[in-house]
Amino acid sequence: MTAPLKVSGDRAESLFSKTQTQSMSLGRIISERDAVSEAREAKTARLRELRLEKEAEEMAAAVALAASPKRVGKR
C-alpha cells in the first residue's frame, strides 16, 4: 500500500514543481514587460520634452523676427 502513495507523492511533487516553474516564468515575463513599458514611457516623455523645447525656441525666434525693425529704403 505504500508504493501507490509514493508514486502519487512523486507525481504531486512533479506537478508542484512544474506549476512553480511556470509561475516563476510568468513573474519574469511580467517584470520584463513592465520594464519595457517603463522604458518606453520614459523615452516618450523625453522626446515630448525635446519637441516642446524646440517648438518654444522656434516660436521665440518667430516673435523676435516679427518684432525686429524692418529696413526701409534702397540698397
Side-chain angles (χ1 to χ4, degrees), residues 23-54:
S23 177
M24 289 170 49
S25 293
L26 181 61
R28 185 174 26 78
I29 289 168
I30 290 172
S31 289
E32 289 173 6
R33 183 197 63 194
D34 290 348
V36 168
S37 180
E38 288 176 16
R40 183 186 318 113
E41 289 172 10
K43 183 176 180 180
T44 299
R46 183 177 58 82
L47 291 173
R48 180 181 299 121
E49 187 175 322
L50 290 172
R51 178 180 50 84
L52 292 174
E53 277 181 30
K54 180 182 175 192

Side-chain angles (χ1 to χ4, degrees), residues 3-18:
L5 291 175
K6 179 70 172 150
V7 171
S8 177
D10 288 345
R11 179 160 166 71
E13 205 171 302
S14 174
L15 289 173
F16 176 76
S17 178
K18 182 179 178 182

